[in-house]
Amino acid sequence: MSGKIRSLFQGFRSSLDGERGASGTFSGDGSGGPTTSTSASTHDSSPAAIPTRAPPTPPDEKDNHHHLKTLQHLQQGIPINPENSSSSSDNNNHKNHENHENREDMTDAQQIEVNGLAHSISHTLSLSNSPSSTFHSPVGSYSSRTTFNRPSGKQLKPFNTQDIKIVLFENVNIAAREILESQGYQVEFHKSSLPENQLIEKIRDVHVIGIRSKTKLSAKVLREAKNLLVIGCFCIGTNQVDLEYAAKHGISVFNSPFSNSRSVAELVISEIIALARQLGDRSTEMHNGTWNKVSAKCWEIRGKTLGIVGYGHIGSQLSVLGEAMGMRILYYDVIPLMALGTAKQVSTLKDLLEQADFVTLHVPELAETKDMIGAEQLARMKRGSYLINASRGSVVDIPALIESMRSGHTAGAALDVYPSEPAANGDYFNDTLNSWVNDLRSLKNLILTPHIGGSTEEAQSAIGIEVGEALVRYINSGSTIGCVNMPEVSLRSLTLAEENHVRVVFIHSNRPGVLRQVNSILGDHNVDKQMSDSRGDVAYLMADISDVNVGDIRSLYESLEALSSKIMTRVLY
């Protein structure tokens, strides 16, 4: 891992080690970046030996104001003239600045020209722009789009965004790629997931990973991603990620829990009709040349009872669609929820199973939901009823379902999810994947789909936009709104009028006395705004500090990094 990349979110690491007399190697920590062999850490990981670099010479204190003013001009896209630091004309001036023969010795992570002509603080700090002043709800959200009249956000990007490495797996929607590429990030795209050994090699030096449901980011895999800042799950679930390990190592995880709700609800309502009319069997027979016009055991769904297990975003939308089709709606959930329309909540799963003609499952994968529908529950369902699972593959005991369908007790079923699923498209749905697959495929009136509940153009585009924008906000401003494994913390945008401000992000262990230590460090400065929250063993703090010079930034970073509670420190412009 190069010093250029590692310092993106580890700040003045090379500088500090040089000053502390480090032995010449770094010990890579699991937070995604190297730590010195002498610094305290709250987590362990495999060490990575990396040569240290000589610390850059900081500018004189009397030049601090000039440097920061010059940085402001660079941040606002104003060219710098070598004579008077005012607006200048052509590209040759910029080239002359880069080749200035009086340039100091410097790391490739930080470049500062001693004459104060122009400087680029590239990677020795985690630097970024403020969040956008306008936020939009994702496509399909119930929230209305609202634009607030706020001061213009401060668009500051002293770091080279092209050095932020992002890798996307499993054919993530182009909408996400366009959002990330528009920031200038390096975006590598893969149509499928990778085996674990290849995945580890691919993600060693990336800062952002984007996945869907098939890529498994276990602790073993995450331990090797030394630069990793954030994970984007372009799907509803996050069970494919070790969330606890990620949080304890300062890696935030974002997903899109609601954007494909409508797509799943529409698939389920279509499967209800298809099962009631045995459309799958009739279609297969016609493809094989058989004409079989029958009406026996084919039903209208009007007047039938739809039982919904899990009345969240998908279940509630399905409730509305089912009622519009003339169905009676019952639902079961572990918490009391307000019914939509004429739907009625029942107190137990047993009550729902005994009354419903169609049972559809919309629950998360938890220890409590594993084999939620087994032989006992199938026996409680009406004879001739139907089961639909578009939630998680572990929720249904599939061998028990096979026996229930063979006996004729269950008239039909639709499955979109399975305990084990292929990692890529192809002829992989067979007994080598799950021992019962061939028996399952032999059943009549059974609809099998390859986990496509949310696979519509509209849903994937909405997911790409929601998660893509969340990743940009986190990288550029530190906002964790929508994060599934960190406290949700955000600060309002810095404005163009707020010069010489920095934003400090400090992820740390949640234990007594840490805030007192942090505030003693920040207390020597003018803190404009600050927010802190905790979630389990991890706490997340953001603070905006005004009237900051270059020496202050070094001091802040060094002091926070020295705390034993530190998980990750970022300093954002």
Side-chain angles (χ1 to χ4, degrees), residues 165-167 202-209 225 227-229:
K165 293 186 177 182
I166 299 176
V167 60
K202 181 62 65 176
I203 69 172
R204 286 191 190 278
D205 65 344
V206 302
H207 307 103
V208 182
I209 298 174
N227 283 345
L228 191 59
L229 283 172

Side-chain angles (χ1 to χ4, degrees), residues 352-388:
L352 182 140
L353 296 176
E354 291 175 348
Q355 298 182 61
D357 299 300
F358 296 85
V359 175
T360 179
L361 309 173
H362 304 284
V363 296
E365 184 175 49
L366 302 170
E368 294 81 3
T369 61
K370 181 175 173 57
D371 292 336
M372 185 181 201
I373 303 297
E376 179 183 348
Q377 290 73 29
L378 290 166
R380 288 190 180 279
M381 292 172 61
K382 289 183 178 180
R383 184 172 184 83
S385 59
Y386 305 83
L387 177 69
I388 300 168

Side-chain angles (χ1 to χ4, degrees), residues 57 83 93 117 134 168 218 235 268 286 301 393 402 425 487 489:
T57 304
E83 300 296 330
N93 284 336
L117 303 179
T134 302
L168 303 176
S218 63
C235 51
V268 171
M286 290 292 286
I301 67 170
I402 293 171
N425 293 340
V489 177

Side-chain angles (χ1 to χ4, degrees), residues 399-418:
L401 175 63
I402 293 171
E403 292 303 315
S404 183
M405 291 187 68
R406 281 177 172 171
S407 70
H409 184 81
T410 300
L415 302 177
D416 188 48
V417 290
Y418 310 89

Side-chain angles (χ1 to χ4, degrees), residues 465-481:
I465 292 170
E466 182 178 1
V467 179
E469 289 182 345
L471 293 177
V472 170
R473 286 196 298 272
Y474 183 76
I475 296 167
N476 290 356
S477 69
S479 172
T480 56
I481 298 301

